[in-house]
Amino acid sequence: MTDLDVLRVFCGPDGAGGNALGVVRDGAALPGADARAALAAELGFSETVFLDDAVRGTVDIHTPGVRLPFAGHPLVGLAWLLRSLGRPPRTLRPPAGEVAVGFEGDVTWVRGRAEWVTARTTRRYASVAEVDALPAPPPGEGWLYAWAWQDEAAGVVRARGFPRRGAGVAEDEATGAAAMLLTHELGRPLDIRQGTGSRILTRTHSDGTIAVGGRVRRAAP
């Protein structure tokens, strides 16, 4: 069996919430695309990440059904894990491009570009109550990021994410890529409260990149 770390990424300040992530630190132990896809499907997490080159930070990201060029929560989780092992990375390299990594207290940050985010739709609702009332998943096709202002002046957003891609994940607990896309669309930093208790922080940068950050915990065995 491939050694696997299981984390919760984008936890709330109290440690609640967080999106489950599988991390295979020794990508060479499972080199084939088919084998990786099979493991990701077996685990059933929204994403599983494989570290292929620890020196360069080269990674491969899989959902239970597809391979992704970029995703926020696997990169935040992997960066946190490597730091916890005494090897904090400055850069990670998913297929989409070079991702800068930073750490501030217990928050891990990664920086990417909105154009790296695979096709998904953001949809604003009139109230937090409307977002909370949505079934999982709502009717329709395609990745949906449903959101409403919880406190517009403070940049606080209530959001829920629905992959709607037939891979067994009815609702994504916390979604860094979608948070990045929403931040790009709104043009401002956000404090996103997603799922049942997750929290995603975002920032905009003058070079056009967007940072997503959050807290990470090891999942209970």
Side-chain angles (χ1 to χ4, degrees), residues 46-107:
S46 58
E47 280 119 16
T48 298
V49 61
F50 301 82
L51 179 60
D52 287 325
D53 187 328
V55 175
R56 295 194 73 250
T58 306
V59 303
D60 189 26
I61 303 167
H62 288 257
T63 76
V66 299
R67 183 172 182 257
L68 296 177
F70 172 84
H73 109 274
L75 299 176
V76 168
L78 176 60
W80 176 90
L81 179 62
L82 292 175
R83 185 194 194 195
S84 76
L85 297 171
R87 296 183 281 128
R90 297 181 63 182
T91 305
L92 292 174
R93 293 180 170 86
E98 189 171 293
V99 173
V101 177
F103 304 94
E104 295 178 10
D106 63 348
V107 176

Side-chain angles (χ1 to χ4, degrees), residues 10 107-111 145 149 154-157 175-184 186-194 199-205 209-214:
F10 298 128
V107 176
T108 300
W109 293 89
V110 301
R111 285 171 64 173
Y145 201 53
W149 287 114
V156 180
V157 166
T175 315
M180 179 180 292
L181 182 61
L182 183 61
T183 300
H184 172 73
L186 296 176
R188 59 180 291 186
L190 299 174
D191 180 349
I192 300 173
R193 315 298 172 87
Q194 189 177 332
R199 187 176 185 184
I200 306 169
L201 305 174
T202 71
R203 293 174 177 168
T204 57
H205 291 272
T209 59
I210 295 171
V212 294

